[in-house]
């Protein structure tokens, strides 16, 4: 093969590798991710920054984090999204896209309310705005996840989940950057208002993507009993599958080691004497770039290795990555070790974020996409947030950072071993819902 032919072959392999990312459905998932990520960012660090600038006491600032807890309970009203059809606009756009536009508009209005609130003059108005944005953003997430899962074909779930993760990070980055930049030259009110267009990235993309072909339109509820059935049916469908309880156990425990490890990383860095510029370079920037690389690789692994093997590999990588922080704790103040530990952990998390989210998406039944994914995503996060967060500090005080991060690796092993056993027993395929199965083509 000549040098020219080798170059052309190399270019062809790059084009072939990128082509799945440039299809309509994955590009729509990117836009959906942008709309999903920006409200969360405005409620998290951006709101904290704004309240600090207004001189609000730290205890009151930390209380605003409760607005984010709404995201953990979005499954409560997710059945409404699955069952209810909006009048007029529902007939024009279809069930999923009409809800997408309504939630996008509601989120934009909630951002406006929070932006107009003045914490220095009336802190209650900020409370109202934060709660409204928390509820609107969580509801927006329900619709976005359902639309994404139904739009993507089973073989696109890995790539689509990766693009969605990219979009989420971009949405959060744009919201934090735009609001801070505008506030620096004008006011926080205009900073928040300048972020409102991000709400419409997903809805606008949906106009080109269309209503998902795989969406199953439910019959309208004509009585209280039928409405209650809309809540019970998704649960009944899931738990009737073979191995459902083991699948739920896996969803609950697989992130415990990773979550408890990540809770105290910044405290570790400060304890080891890393300066703010060093943390910015070694943690923020290296971590961000490694995460983006991991997301890209995760999509490729899912497409080439399949769901089971790619998830298993990502679980092993996420467990082993905790060992790198044990090594950093033992090495002390060491910038190359910091870059390696943060880079490895974020790269592994990027891969896991794609493959595991794709697996959770595949578990959904297309009749109950919004409800089941809301339940599964909440279950994956809630144990780590409510249990491990209360034990990390005490464990570190009792055993030190090296043993603590060794322990987090051990805590990750049950999830790895359970998934391996489920693979051997054939429970992964048996528990997959219709979202993860290619529908037969009409003859």
């Amino acid at each position: 093969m000549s040098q020219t032919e080798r170059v052309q072959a190399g270019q062809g392999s790059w084009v072939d590798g990128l082509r799945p990312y440039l299809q309509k459905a994955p590009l729509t998932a990117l836009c959906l991710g942008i709309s999903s990520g920006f409200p969360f960012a405005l409620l998290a660090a951006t709101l904290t920054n704004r309240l600090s600038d207004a001189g609000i006491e730290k205890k009151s600032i930390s209380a605003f984090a409760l607005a984010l807890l709404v995201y953990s309970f979005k499954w409560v009203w997710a059945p409404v999204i699955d069952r209810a059809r909006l009048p007029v606009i529902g007939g024009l756009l279809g069930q999923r896209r009409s809800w997408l536009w309504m939630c996008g508009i509601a989120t934009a209005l909630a951002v406006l309310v929070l932006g107009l609130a003045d914490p220095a003059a009336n802190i209650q108005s900020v409370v109202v705005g934060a709660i409204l944005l928390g509820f609107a953003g969580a509801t927006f997430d329900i619709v976005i996840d359902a639309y994404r899962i139904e739009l993507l074909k089973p073989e696109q779930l890995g790539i689509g989940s990766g693009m969605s993760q990219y979009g989420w990070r971009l949405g959060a980055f744009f919201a934090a950057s735009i609001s801070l930049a505008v506030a620096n030259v004008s006011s926080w009110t205009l900073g928040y208002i300048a972020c409102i267009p991000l709400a419409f990235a997903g809805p606008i993309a949906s106009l080109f993507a269309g209503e998902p072909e795989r969406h199953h339109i439910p019959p309208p509820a004509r009585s209280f009993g039928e409405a209650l059935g809309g809540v019970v049916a998704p649960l009944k469908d899931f738990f009737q599958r073979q191995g459902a309880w083991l699948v739920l156990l896996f969803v609950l425990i697989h992130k415990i080691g990773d979550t408890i490890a990540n809770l105290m990383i910044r405290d570790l860095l400060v304890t080891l004497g890393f300066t703010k510029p060093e943390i910015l370079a070694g943690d923020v920037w290296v971590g961000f770039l490694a995460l983006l690389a991991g997301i890209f690789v995760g999509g490729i692994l899912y497409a080439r290795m399949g769901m089971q093997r790619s998830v298993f590999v990502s679980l092993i990588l996420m467990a082993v990555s905790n060992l790198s922080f044990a090594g950093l704790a033992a090495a002390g103040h060491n910038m190359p070790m910091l870059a390696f530990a943060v880079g490895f952990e974020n790269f592994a998390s990027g891969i896991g974020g794609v493959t595991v989210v794709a697996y959770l998406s595949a578990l959904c039944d297309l009749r109950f996409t919004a409800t089941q994914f809301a339940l599964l995503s909440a279950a994956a996060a809630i144990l780590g947030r409510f249990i491990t967060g209360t034990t990390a500090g005490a464990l570190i005080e009792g055993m030190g950072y090296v043993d603590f991060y060794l322990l987090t690796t051990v805590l990750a092993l049950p999830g790895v071993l359970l998934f391996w056993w489920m693979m051997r027993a054939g429970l992964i395929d048996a528990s997959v819902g219709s979202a993860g199965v290619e529908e037969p083509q009409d003859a």
Side-chain angles (χ1 to χ4, degrees):
M1 180 182 291
S2 67
Q3 179 67 24
T4 301
E5 290 173 328
R6 283 195 294 269
V7 170
Q8 290 175 341
Q11 290 174 341
S13 64
W14 272 103
V15 172
D16 291 338
L18 289 174
R19 186 175 288 115
Y21 289 88
L22 302 179
Q23 293 174 347
K24 183 186 294 184
L27 287 176
T28 302
L30 175 72
C31 296
L32 292 169
I34 291 173
S35 292
S36 175
F38 98 96
F40 197 92
L42 292 181
L43 279 173
T46 303
L47 182 57
T48 299
N49 195 340
R50 184 185 184 188
L51 295 174
S52 297
D53 284 352
I56 306 300
E57 59 180 4
K58 288 180 172 57
K59 183 170 68 174
S60 298
I61 292 174
S62 62
F64 277 89
L66 295 174
L68 295 173
L69 292 180
V70 177
Y71 281 80
S72 295
F73 295 96
K74 60 188 179 182
W75 54 271
V76 174
W77 62 93
V80 177
I81 307 298
D82 264 335
R83 300 278 297 186
R85 188 177 182 88
L86 296 175
V88 183
I89 189 175
L92 294 173
L93 295 176
Q95 184 182 13
R96 289 301 186 212
R97 290 193 298 168
S98 60
W99 272 105
L100 195 65
W101 272 96
M102 193 189 82
C103 290
I105 293 170
T107 300
L109 291 175
V111 171
L112 179 62
V113 170
L114 185 56
L116 293 174
D118 185 355
N122 185 2
I123 192 65
Q124 286 78 17
S125 62
V126 182
V127 173
V128 172
I131 293 174
L132 286 175
L133 183 54
F135 180 77
T139 308
F140 205 8
D141 258 12
I142 295 171
V143 188
I144 284 172
D145 288 330
Y147 182 77
R148 171 182 57 81
I149 293 169
E150 293 171 353
L151 187 68
L152 296 167
K153 297 177 182 177
E155 67 272 15
Q156 293 178 314
L157 285 176
I159 298 294
S161 296
M163 292 293 273
S164 178
Q165 294 280 324
Y166 273 129
W168 199 98
R169 296 287 173 177
L170 288 172
F173 174 77
F174 289 151
S177 302
I178 292 171
S179 60
L180 188 61
V182 174
N184 187 50
V185 298
S186 181
S187 68
W188 279 109
T189 295
L190 290 180
Y192 271 66
I193 292 174
C195 294
I196 287 178
L198 296 172
F200 299 102
I204 290 174
S206 75
L207 296 178
F208 298 93
E211 188 75 355
E213 293 181 2
R214 300 206 300 159
H215 175 55
H216 290 202
I217 301 175
R222 291 182 292 269
S223 66
F224 176 77
E226 291 184 359
L228 183 62
V231 178
V232 175
L235 298 175
K236 184 179 179 181
D237 168 79
F238 180 79
F239 286 109
Q240 282 181 337
R241 301 178 199 171
Q242 183 182 357
W245 288 101
L246 287 175
V247 173
L248 179 61
L249 179 61
F250 166 76
V251 173
L252 286 169
I253 69 172
H254 80 280
K255 288 186 68 174
I256 290 180
D258 190 57
T259 301
I260 196 172
N262 282 307
L263 280 172
M264 302 303 290
I265 287 176
R266 283 293 177 89
D267 187 67
L268 167 66
L269 301 185
V270 173
T271 301
L272 294 178
F274 288 99
T275 64
K276 288 184 177 63
E278 287 174 333
I279 292 174
L280 177 64
D283 184 19
V284 177
W285 281 106
V286 171
F288 181 71
L289 294 175
L291 182 73
L292 295 183
I295 290 171
F296 180 76
V297 172
I300 294 176
L301 288 180
Y302 190 91
R304 296 187 178 181
M305 298 179 66
M307 179 176 66
Q308 296 192 40
R309 289 193 296 163
S310 64
V311 173
F312 185 59
V313 168
S314 68
L315 292 173
I316 295 173
L317 287 174
M318 288 190 290
V320 173
S321 69
N322 290 345
L323 291 175
S324 63
F325 284 103
L328 176 62
H333 188 279
N334 185 312
M335 278 299 292
M337 189 62 196
L338 170 62
F340 170 75
V342 169
F344 184 17
E345 195 279 330
N346 278 273
F347 181 73
S349 294
I351 295 175
V354 172
T355 59
V356 175
V357 168
Y359 171 53
L360 296 184
S361 301
L363 289 172
C364 296
D365 188 295
L366 291 170
R367 297 172 297 168
F368 318 112
T369 316
T371 304
Q372 289 183 343
F373 191 82
L375 279 165
L376 291 167
S377 58
I382 199 165
L383 198 61
R385 290 175 182 173
F386 286 97
I387 297 179
T388 60
T390 62
T391 61
L395 288 172
I396 291 169
E397 290 178 357
M399 63 177 59
Y401 270 111
V402 175
D403 289 341
F404 169 75
Y405 280 106
L406 292 175
L407 175 64
T408 63
T409 303
V410 174
L411 290 174
L413 294 180
V416 178
L417 294 175
L418 177 57
F419 193 84
W420 172 80
W421 187 84
M422 289 163 58
M423 288 174 61
R424 294 289 301 271
L427 296 179
I428 304 298
D429 287 333
S431 60
V432 166
S434 56
V437 178
E438 186 69 52
E439 296 181 343
Q441 299 294 317
D442 295 332

